[in-house]
mmCIF file of all heavy atoms in Angstrom:
data_model
loop_
_atom_site.group_PDB
_atom_site.id
_atom_site.type_symbol
_atom_site.label_atom_id
_atom_site.label_comp_id
_atom_site.label_asym_id
_atom_site.label_seq_id
_atom_site.Cartn_x
_atom_site.Cartn_y
_atom_site.Cartn_z
ATOM 1 N N LYS A 150 -0.912 0.118 -8.190
ATOM 2 C CA LYS A 150 -0.791 1.453 -7.740
ATOM 3 C C LYS A 150 -1.476 1.577 -6.425
ATOM 4 O O LYS A 150 -2.608 1.055 -6.157
ATOM 5 C CB LYS A 150 -1.408 2.388 -8.734
ATOM 6 C CG LYS A 150 -0.662 2.554 -10.052
ATOM 7 C CD LYS A 150 -1.223 3.606 -11.013
ATOM 8 C CE LYS A 150 -0.460 3.752 -12.237
ATOM 9 N NZ LYS A 150 -1.064 4.765 -13.149
ATOM 10 N N VAL A 151 -0.891 2.345 -5.524
ATOM 11 C CA VAL A 151 -1.407 2.487 -4.199
ATOM 12 C C VAL A 151 -1.525 3.907 -3.884
ATOM 13 O O VAL A 151 -0.668 4.774 -4.063
ATOM 14 C CB VAL A 151 -0.477 1.840 -3.038
ATOM 15 C CG1 VAL A 151 -1.139 1.984 -1.741
ATOM 16 C CG2 VAL A 151 -0.305 0.345 -3.384
ATOM 17 N N GLN A 152 -2.660 4.332 -3.395
ATOM 18 C CA GLN A 152 -2.927 5.745 -2.919
ATOM 19 C C GLN A 152 -3.012 5.832 -1.426
ATOM 20 O O GLN A 152 -3.720 5.020 -0.762
ATOM 21 C CB GLN A 152 -4.256 6.305 -3.546
ATOM 22 C CG GLN A 152 -4.524 7.826 -3.235
ATOM 23 C CD GLN A 152 -5.647 8.410 -3.890
ATOM 24 O OE1 GLN A 152 -6.435 7.637 -4.474
ATOM 25 N NE2 GLN A 152 -5.809 9.629 -3.775
ATOM 26 N N THR A 153 -2.013 6.695 -0.806
ATOM 27 C CA THR A 153 -1.974 6.675 0.578
ATOM 28 C C THR A 153 -3.014 7.773 1.058
ATOM 29 O O THR A 153 -3.618 8.459 0.255
ATOM 30 C CB THR A 153 -0.501 7.202 1.022
ATOM 31 O OG1 THR A 153 -0.183 8.284 0.389
ATOM 32 C CG2 THR A 153 0.460 6.019 0.572
ATOM 33 N N SER A 154 -3.144 7.921 2.374
ATOM 34 C CA SER A 154 -3.962 8.757 3.073
ATOM 35 C C SER A 154 -3.930 10.228 2.630
ATOM 36 O O SER A 154 -4.772 11.075 2.830
ATOM 37 C CB SER A 154 -4.068 8.640 4.608
ATOM 38 O OG SER A 154 -2.859 8.882 5.097
ATOM 39 N N ASP A 155 -2.600 10.570 2.338
ATOM 40 C CA ASP A 155 -2.315 12.077 1.972
ATOM 41 C C ASP A 155 -2.479 12.307 0.473
ATOM 42 O O ASP A 155 -2.289 13.426 0.086
ATOM 43 C CB ASP A 155 -0.860 12.529 2.441
ATOM 44 C CG ASP A 155 0.121 11.649 1.638
ATOM 45 O OD1 ASP A 155 -0.251 10.747 0.818
ATOM 46 O OD2 ASP A 155 1.298 11.857 1.948
ATOM 47 N N GLY A 156 -3.032 11.274 -0.133
ATOM 48 C CA GLY A 156 -3.352 11.514 -1.699
ATOM 49 C C GLY A 156 -2.187 11.109 -2.606
ATOM 50 O O GLY A 156 -2.406 11.139 -3.760
ATOM 51 N N SER A 157 -1.083 10.855 -2.112
ATOM 52 C CA SER A 157 0.149 10.356 -2.912
ATOM 53 C C SER A 157 -0.195 9.007 -3.536
ATOM 54 O O SER A 157 -0.833 8.151 -3.003
ATOM 55 C CB SER A 157 1.353 10.332 -2.064
ATOM 56 O OG SER A 157 1.572 11.500 -1.464
ATOM 57 N N ILE A 158 0.275 8.827 -4.777
ATOM 58 C CA ILE A 158 0.088 7.479 -5.481
ATOM 59 C C ILE A 158 1.399 6.898 -5.723
ATOM 60 O O ILE A 158 2.371 7.636 -6.382
ATOM 61 C CB ILE A 158 -0.683 7.797 -6.825
ATOM 62 C CG1 ILE A 158 -2.119 8.386 -6.549
ATOM 63 C CG2 ILE A 158 -0.806 6.518 -7.600
ATOM 64 C CD1 ILE A 158 -3.002 8.716 -7.682
ATOM 65 N N PHE A 159 1.651 5.763 -5.502
ATOM 66 C CA PHE A 159 2.862 5.046 -5.714
ATOM 67 C C PHE A 159 2.644 3.813 -6.556
ATOM 68 O O PHE A 159 1.679 3.048 -6.365
ATOM 69 C CB PHE A 159 3.537 4.558 -4.384
ATOM 70 C CG PHE A 159 3.745 5.789 -3.485
ATOM 71 C CD1 PHE A 159 2.950 6.138 -2.463
ATOM 72 C CD2 PHE A 159 5.058 6.387 -3.562
ATOM 73 C CE1 PHE A 159 3.124 7.170 -1.626
ATOM 74 C CE2 PHE A 159 5.385 7.475 -2.686
ATOM 75 C CZ PHE A 159 4.363 7.810 -1.761
ATOM 76 N N ALA A 160 3.632 3.486 -7.535
ATOM 77 C CA ALA A 160 3.347 2.486 -8.468
ATOM 78 C C ALA A 160 4.571 1.434 -8.267
ATOM 79 O O ALA A 160 5.701 1.909 -8.145
ATOM 80 C CB ALA A 160 3.319 2.850 -9.904
ATOM 81 N N TYR A 161 4.331 0.204 -8.269
ATOM 82 C CA TYR A 161 5.309 -0.887 -8.064
ATOM 83 C C TYR A 161 5.118 -2.048 -8.954
ATOM 84 O O TYR A 161 4.051 -2.412 -9.131
ATOM 85 C CB TYR A 161 5.369 -1.387 -6.599
ATOM 86 C CG TYR A 161 5.454 -0.323 -5.617
ATOM 87 C CD1 TYR A 161 4.384 0.258 -4.943
ATOM 88 C CD2 TYR A 161 6.711 0.170 -5.215
ATOM 89 C CE1 TYR A 161 4.439 1.308 -3.983
ATOM 90 C CE2 TYR A 161 6.822 1.137 -4.225
ATOM 91 C CZ TYR A 161 5.761 1.727 -3.615
ATOM 92 O OH TYR A 161 5.865 2.710 -2.756
ATOM 93 N N PRO A 162 6.233 -2.581 -9.535
ATOM 94 C CA PRO A 162 6.047 -3.831 -10.197
ATOM 95 C C PRO A 162 5.781 -5.007 -9.310
ATOM 96 O O PRO A 162 6.215 -4.958 -8.148
ATOM 97 C CB PRO A 162 7.400 -4.028 -10.912
ATOM 98 C CG PRO A 162 8.338 -3.220 -10.016
ATOM 99 C CD PRO A 162 7.554 -2.156 -9.496
ATOM 100 N N MET A 163 4.958 -5.939 -9.676
ATOM 101 C CA MET A 163 4.604 -7.038 -8.887
ATOM 102 C C MET A 163 5.792 -7.775 -8.363
ATOM 103 O O MET A 163 5.811 -8.499 -7.352
ATOM 104 C CB MET A 163 3.587 -8.002 -9.433
ATOM 105 C CG MET A 163 2.200 -7.272 -9.718
ATOM 106 S SD MET A 163 1.458 -6.736 -8.171
ATOM 107 C CE MET A 163 1.185 -8.290 -7.260
ATOM 108 N N SER A 164 6.833 -7.719 -9.098
ATOM 109 C CA SER A 164 8.123 -8.554 -8.704
ATOM 110 C C SER A 164 8.669 -7.902 -7.498
ATOM 111 O O SER A 164 9.551 -8.581 -6.716
ATOM 112 C CB SER A 164 9.176 -8.480 -9.782
ATOM 113 O OG SER A 164 9.445 -7.036 -10.122
ATOM 114 N N ASP A 165 8.286 -6.637 -7.091
ATOM 115 C CA ASP A 165 8.876 -6.061 -5.856
ATOM 116 C C ASP A 165 7.920 -6.296 -4.678
ATOM 117 O O ASP A 165 8.334 -5.922 -3.511
ATOM 118 C CB ASP A 165 9.025 -4.541 -6.085
ATOM 119 C CG ASP A 165 10.127 -4.182 -6.952
ATOM 120 O OD1 ASP A 165 11.008 -5.165 -7.255
ATOM 121 O OD2 ASP A 165 10.242 -3.030 -7.435
ATOM 122 N N VAL A 166 6.748 -6.797 -4.918
ATOM 123 C CA VAL A 166 5.797 -6.955 -3.842
ATOM 124 C C VAL A 166 5.834 -8.371 -3.137
ATOM 125 O O VAL A 166 5.838 -9.418 -3.873
ATOM 126 C CB VAL A 166 4.409 -6.741 -4.439
ATOM 127 C CG1 VAL A 166 3.306 -7.021 -3.325
ATOM 128 C CG2 VAL A 166 4.178 -5.400 -5.035
ATOM 129 N N GLU A 167 5.960 -8.321 -1.847
ATOM 130 C CA GLU A 167 5.957 -9.654 -1.103
ATOM 131 C C GLU A 167 4.571 -10.053 -0.862
ATOM 132 O O GLU A 167 4.215 -11.278 -1.101
ATOM 133 C CB GLU A 167 6.739 -9.458 0.230
ATOM 134 C CG GLU A 167 6.853 -10.716 1.073
ATOM 135 C CD GLU A 167 7.682 -10.563 2.223
ATOM 136 O OE1 GLU A 167 8.506 -9.622 2.339
ATOM 137 O OE2 GLU A 167 7.512 -11.282 3.230
ATOM 138 N N LYS A 168 3.684 -9.151 -0.455
ATOM 139 C CA LYS A 168 2.266 -9.592 -0.075
ATOM 140 C C LYS A 168 1.400 -8.310 0.112
ATOM 141 O O LYS A 168 1.928 -7.205 0.229
ATOM 142 C CB LYS A 168 2.153 -10.464 1.189
ATOM 143 C CG LYS A 168 2.597 -9.663 2.385
ATOM 144 C CD LYS A 168 2.430 -10.678 3.676
ATOM 145 C CE LYS A 168 2.908 -9.939 4.990
ATOM 146 N NZ LYS A 168 2.712 -10.758 6.108
ATOM 147 N N ILE A 169 0.056 -8.511 -0.145
ATOM 148 C CA ILE A 169 -0.836 -7.441 0.160
ATOM 149 C C ILE A 169 -1.915 -7.949 1.074
ATOM 150 O O ILE A 169 -2.523 -9.143 0.961
ATOM 151 C CB ILE A 169 -1.666 -7.167 -1.153
ATOM 152 C CG1 ILE A 169 -0.534 -6.704 -2.233
ATOM 153 C CG2 ILE A 169 -2.568 -5.967 -0.990
ATOM 154 C CD1 ILE A 169 -1.170 -6.617 -3.682
ATOM 155 N N THR A 170 -2.095 -7.234 2.097
ATOM 156 C CA THR A 170 -3.099 -7.599 3.245
ATOM 157 C C THR A 170 -4.042 -6.503 3.518
ATOM 158 O O THR A 170 -3.893 -5.306 3.047
ATOM 159 C CB THR A 170 -2.367 -8.006 4.499
ATOM 160 O OG1 THR A 170 -1.755 -6.826 5.024
ATOM 161 C CG2 THR A 170 -1.304 -9.069 4.296
ATOM 162 N N LYS A 171 -5.103 -6.882 4.257
ATOM 163 C CA LYS A 171 -5.974 -5.852 4.797
ATOM 164 C C LYS A 171 -5.874 -5.884 6.323
ATOM 165 O O LYS A 171 -5.919 -6.948 6.872
ATOM 166 C CB LYS A 171 -7.524 -6.161 4.342
ATOM 167 C CG LYS A 171 -7.830 -6.013 2.956
ATOM 168 C CD LYS A 171 -9.299 -6.182 2.600
ATOM 169 C CE LYS A 171 -9.604 -6.024 1.137
ATOM 170 N NZ LYS A 171 -9.532 -4.565 0.775
ATOM 171 N N GLU A 172 -5.636 -4.716 6.894
ATOM 172 C CA GLU A 172 -5.358 -4.547 8.297
ATOM 173 C C GLU A 172 -6.134 -3.361 8.889
ATOM 174 O O GLU A 172 -6.543 -2.441 8.184
ATOM 175 C CB GLU A 172 -3.886 -4.403 8.580
ATOM 176 C CG GLU A 172 -3.048 -5.587 8.010
ATOM 177 C CD GLU A 172 -1.496 -5.270 8.254
ATOM 178 O OE1 GLU A 172 -1.223 -4.352 8.999
ATOM 179 O OE2 GLU A 172 -0.779 -6.080 7.655
ATOM 180 N N VAL A 173 -6.286 -3.394 10.207
ATOM 181 C CA VAL A 173 -6.912 -2.280 10.898
ATOM 182 C C VAL A 173 -5.946 -1.092 10.825
ATOM 183 O O VAL A 173 -4.749 -1.250 11.154
ATOM 184 C CB VAL A 173 -7.235 -2.667 12.397
ATOM 185 C CG1 VAL A 173 -7.669 -1.461 13.132
ATOM 186 C CG2 VAL A 173 -8.191 -3.852 12.488
ATOM 187 N N PRO A 174 -6.410 0.143 10.487
ATOM 188 C CA PRO A 174 -5.481 1.236 10.545
ATOM 189 C C PRO A 174 -4.845 1.508 11.729
ATOM 190 O O PRO A 174 -5.380 1.169 12.871
ATOM 191 C CB PRO A 174 -6.451 2.368 10.152
ATOM 192 C CG PRO A 174 -7.557 1.771 9.473
ATOM 193 C CD PRO A 174 -7.758 0.447 10.080
ATOM 194 N N VAL A 175 -3.523 1.946 11.690
ATOM 195 C CA VAL A 175 -2.683 2.194 12.956
ATOM 196 C C VAL A 175 -3.459 2.985 13.913
ATOM 197 O O VAL A 175 -3.444 2.815 15.158
ATOM 198 C CB VAL A 175 -1.355 2.748 12.568
ATOM 199 C CG1 VAL A 175 -0.573 3.078 13.801
ATOM 200 C CG2 VAL A 175 -0.563 1.773 11.727
ATOM 201 N N THR A 176 -4.020 4.139 13.424
ATOM 202 C CA THR A 176 -4.780 5.087 14.325
ATOM 203 C C THR A 176 -5.943 4.391 15.043
ATOM 204 O O THR A 176 -6.160 4.669 16.165
ATOM 205 C CB THR A 176 -5.267 6.271 13.473
ATOM 206 O OG1 THR A 176 -6.030 5.829 12.380
ATOM 207 C CG2 THR A 176 -4.120 7.135 12.994
ATOM 208 N N THR A 177 -6.568 3.452 14.328
ATOM 209 C CA THR A 177 -7.662 2.795 14.955
ATOM 210 C C THR A 177 -7.193 1.834 15.939
ATOM 211 O O THR A 177 -7.770 1.778 17.002
ATOM 212 C CB THR A 177 -8.494 1.943 13.815
ATOM 213 O OG1 THR A 177 -9.004 2.808 12.829
ATOM 214 C CG2 THR A 177 -9.691 1.294 14.497
#
C-alpha cells in the first residue's frame, strides 16, 4: 500500500510492481 502526498492510499499486488526505489521529490 502506498500513501501519496494528498493522503490517498493505493493498494497493488506485487505481481503488478516492477520495482520500488527511493528518489529525490520532483519539487525538490
